[in-house]
Amino acid sequence: MPANLRPEYFKAEERYLQARTLEERILATEELIRLAPKHKGTEKLLRVLKRRLAKLRQELRVKQGRRVGRSGPSFAIKKEGAAQIALVGAPNSGKSTLLHQLTAARPKIDNYLFTTRRPVPGMMQFEDVQIQLVEVPAVIEGSSLGKGLGAQPLSVARNADAIVLVVDASTEPIEQVRILINELEAAGIRLNQQIPKLSIQRKVTGGIEVRGAGAFDGSEVELKRILQEHRIHNALLTIDEPVTADDLEELLDESLVYRRAFILLTKCESSGAADKLKLLEREFRGRFRAIATQGAGERLKQAIFEKLDLIRVYTKRSDEEPAKRPLVLPKGSTIFDIARAVHKDFARELEFARVWGSTRFPGQQVPREYALQDKDIVELHASKIYSPRK
Ligand SMILES: Nc1nc2c(ncn2[C@@H]2O[C@H](COP(=O)(O)OP(=O)(O)O)[C@@H](O)[C@H]2O)c(=O)[nH]1
Ligand SMILES: [Mg+2]
């Protein structure tokens, strides 16, 4: 099928060829992707362009990383508490104010742009869990290419466990969210995206073997070609759920990270904020959940905790009281995950467990696949007598 490329496309291609810097090549490639018509006949072209873009962005990240390493102090914030959450937003979106409201940290609050130039951590205590919030210096359109404070803020977000998109209700929040998503994506961060379920086991010889090829949206020849383009010549590929060529490309791109994210709307005392929250919810339904800062304090902390999809589990030994401090794990974690969090040998020796809370009966015996709920109490029983270190 002919690609039917328009003259604008060829002009952009010319710009790409003339580009002198990495940033210019990235911009031109982004434009080529935007301009290329989207149909069966251009699928391959689009894939090639996307791969080129991913490579260029990765190259830029390496370059930016080296620049930071040489000149400036490190932006990395040591993780503390159950999870590290990055507050990402435009200048003046209210990030420092949130840190004041939710933690003991005291970053400067000001109406100047770029008041906060370095990431500022603060510990949010919610009930018996500690969540580390990090104010990331402002992100603007073009941050990933070095505008404003450059890409360093984005690298802080990359290292966090989850991301809060902080947007100001007195502006155009949908537009603000779009900019943040674009910049984070350009920095190789995928938000709330399911990692396609397939595994690639590299081998030394034997060519490419595929299990579950029927779930691939394309031919086996095409699938092998994509792998070969990524220099994978010997591997066992197991596909567990429907996968497109684009999914496969993303999965082969090892520079990508996947992070949970939600939207936090600030400055909500202004009239019309409730409507803006509704618009945001509608616009990003199914992709991002949105909450407002009204009732800052315990309610906001609770909302943040809920959006992180974490659960607290209290372990106990038989005839003893449950632990005071919970283990904090992702929602959906099983008995086996808890055992592993306690100690890896423990997971191996695990025989059964009893649960108080989410089970039908208190102290009910459950299998290791049992998925726990927030605030469950768990008693783990191992086959050998096991005493975890104090
Ligand atoms: N009216 C109102 N102003 C706010 C709110 N949060 C922040 N501000 C103001 O917005 C400006 C920028 O706030 P700041 O927290 O420093 O934003 P940052 O640049 O994202 O850290 C300051 O003048 C704050 O007083 C809010 O909830 N309501
Ligand atoms: Mg600030």
Side-chain angles (χ1 to χ4, degrees):
M1 211 183 289
N4 286 331
L5 300 168
R6 285 171 295 156
E8 295 95 309
Y9 181 89
F10 294 104
K11 274 190 203 139
E13 194 168 67
E14 192 56 34
R15 269 199 295 286
Y16 173 78
L17 293 171
Q18 304 280 325
R20 283 155 177 269
T21 65
L22 205 47
E23 286 84 349
E24 283 168 11
R25 264 181 289 164
I26 289 174
L27 284 171
T29 308
E30 283 173 343
E31 206 178 350
L32 286 170
I33 292 172
R34 254 195 316 274
L35 291 171
K38 316 283 182 288
H39 57 69
K40 198 84 196 149
T42 55
E43 268 177 12
K44 175 131 192 285
L45 171 71
L46 277 166
R47 255 208 327 279
V48 170
L49 289 171
K50 283 184 191 165
R51 186 176 317 140
R52 186 209 279 165
L53 181 61
K55 269 195 195 141
L56 290 169
R57 283 172 169 171
Q58 169 65 3
E59 222 177 293
L60 184 64
R61 279 201 290 282
V62 171
K63 206 175 96 185
Q64 287 162 339
R66 268 207 301 271
R67 210 179 287 151
V68 179
R70 260 207 314 270
S71 58
S74 166
F75 258 49
I77 296 287
K78 190 170 164 279
K79 285 189 184 181
E80 279 167 19
Q84 187 185 73
I85 315 300
L87 303 177
V88 179
N92 284 340
S93 55
K95 304 176 295 298
S96 294
T97 304
L98 277 168
L99 220 59
H100 269 258
Q101 287 170 342
L102 301 172
T103 76
R106 289 292 166 261
K108 209 166 139 199
I109 297 177
D110 222 321
N111 227 335
Y112 296 116
L113 300 186
F114 304 116
T115 306
T116 312
R117 304 189 141 259
R118 316 252 291 115
V120 184
M123 198 57 90
M124 177 180 98
Q125 180 83 37
F126 168 64
E127 295 176 355
D128 52 5
V129 215
Q130 291 200 311
I131 305 280
Q132 187 184 39
L133 302 182
V134 179
E135 176 180 0
V136 174
V139 169
I140 58 169
E141 194 161 18
S143 283
S144 58
L145 294 173
K147 266 202 197 161
L149 298 173
Q152 290 169 2
L154 294 165
S155 74
V156 180
R158 222 179 128 85
N159 288 326
D161 300 306
I163 292 169
V164 182
L165 304 171
V166 182
V167 295
D168 173 347
S170 66
T171 62
E172 289 299 320
I174 291 177
E175 185 53 28
Q176 282 196 51
V177 172
R178 287 232 177 84
I179 290 172
L180 296 176
I181 297 173
N182 280 342
E183 294 304 322
L184 290 162
E185 291 227 323
I189 308 167
R190 295 288 176 270
L191 304 174
N192 290 350
Q193 205 167 299
Q194 288 278 326
I195 305 168
K197 276 212 185 95
L198 90 183
S199 74
I200 298 164
Q201 216 179 311
R202 294 195 187 227
K203 294 188 168 172
V204 183
T205 56
I208 288 168
E209 189 193 336
V210 187
R211 290 201 192 135
F216 178 68
D217 175 24
S219 70
E220 203 162 328
V221 176
E222 191 183 351
L223 190 145
K224 286 188 178 167
R225 202 188 50 228
I226 293 175
L227 290 175
Q228 272 155 8
E229 282 165 0
H230 282 268
R231 299 202 191 86
I232 300 174
H233 302 287
N234 300 293
L236 169 64
L237 180 70
T238 313
I239 307 178
D240 292 327
E241 59 183 18
V243 153
T244 64
D246 277 350
D247 293 337
L248 188 59
E249 283 286 347
E250 291 239 334
L251 208 86
L252 292 170
D253 182 350
E254 284 163 358
S255 69
L256 296 182
V257 297
Y258 295 81
R259 297 286 178 261
R260 173 168 298 288
F262 63 91
I263 300 166
L264 183 57
L265 190 65
T266 60
K267 311 194 189 179
C268 283
E269 70 279 351
S270 60
S271 64
D275 289 340
K276 290 206 168 155
L277 184 66
K278 281 204 194 94
L279 283 176
L280 274 173
E281 279 169 344
R282 192 178 320 145
E283 182 68 26
F284 297 103
R285 175 157 302 153
R287 175 123 199 252
F288 295 101
R289 291 184 286 178
I291 53 176
T293 50
Q294 297 156 297
E298 284 314 298
R299 260 184 57 201
L300 182 56
K301 289 181 181 181
Q302 170 139 24
I304 291 175
F305 182 74
E306 280 167 9
K307 298 294 170 294
L308 296 174
D309 282 345
L310 296 172
I311 56 168
R312 287 165 280 184
V313 176
Y314 305 84
T315 54
K316 79 183 273 297
R317 301 205 213 176
S318 35
D319 304 322
E320 281 182 26
E321 287 296 304
K324 286 267 179 306
R325 288 173 68 109
L327 288 171
V328 182
L329 292 132
K331 205 177 243 177
S333 292
T334 62
I335 294 288
F336 185 71
D337 297 322
I338 303 293
R340 203 164 35 192
V342 174
H343 194 282
K344 69 177 195 305
D345 293 336
F346 203 10
R348 218 176 299 141
E349 309 292 340
L350 183 71
E351 273 205 327
F352 71 94
R354 293 185 191 285
V355 173
W356 285 257
S358 64
T359 47
R360 193 131 160 232
F361 311 108
Q364 190 172 327
Q365 193 170 321
V366 296
R368 53 202 285 157
E369 298 77 29
Y370 182 80
L372 292 150
Q373 303 285 332
D374 189 34
K375 296 191 181 171
D376 273 350
I377 296 170
V378 180
E379 195 177 276
L380 298 166
H381 291 264
S383 54
K384 282 189 197 151
I385 295 170
Y386 181 84
S387 61
R389 277 167 299 164
K390 287 252 159 81

